[in-house]
Amino acid sequence: MKEILQILGALFALSFTGCGEKISAEIGQNAPKISAKQLDGNAFASNLMQDKAVVLAFFKNGCASCIKDLPKLNTMAKEQPDKLVVLAINALDTKEVIADMAKRFGWDSMIVLKDELAITSKRYGVAVTPTLILLDEQGIIRARIVGERPWETTEKILHKALSL
């Protein structure tokens, strides 16, 4: 019985680290690679983030805070296309559900991604939604916003961390 519990404990621990992969998404560190796909099935091209501030917005269907914040992030991306890229990343819902959300809510200035194997979510240590991770133009993690907050607070953190 003790050995079974040890094995289960080890498997549980591995599930949070991407099969032994070290989570390297700490503030001040280089951002881990994004291993998610665009909704058309193509791999995400990281060159789209080059020399721009990036907001990684981890979301799921049914998350009221996500639905409230993502349109505001979409507007920010629309207003500053030369300075900001917003990646809306979902590891929990199907591509069809994600595509429906993007269409229904008009997310036309963000890049919406499906994290099929939750690799990106694990690399960034995402356990809840919404989670926003802010990267500067050099790909350094500058801030992490977890859970619901008033938009005004989120916006201040975005502007301060990303010099927008």
Side-chain angles (χ1 to χ4, degrees), residues 86-160:
V86 177
L87 304 179
I89 303 171
N90 185 312
L92 300 171
D93 298 305
T94 65
K95 283 191 283 191
E96 294 77 19
V97 167
I98 298 166
D100 179 65
M101 291 176 71
K103 182 179 179 181
R104 188 168 17 122
F105 296 114
W107 301 338
D108 56 354
S109 295
M110 298 186 294
I111 299 170
V112 182
L113 302 173
K114 170 65 175 149
D115 190 8
E116 291 181 350
L117 301 175
I119 293 170
T120 299
S121 298
K122 290 174 186 171
R123 285 179 180 163
Y124 283 90
V126 174
V128 299
T129 58
T131 294
L132 303 179
I133 298 177
L134 315 180
L135 314 178
D136 67 15
E137 296 84 355
Q138 289 77 41
I140 305 296
I141 299 169
R142 293 296 171 205
R144 173 186 291 267
I145 304 170
V146 179
E148 182 175 1
R149 293 183 184 199
W151 175 251
E152 295 75 22
T153 303
T154 299
E155 192 172 30
K156 285 179 187 174
I157 295 169
L158 285 165
H159 284 280
K160 182 177 179 184

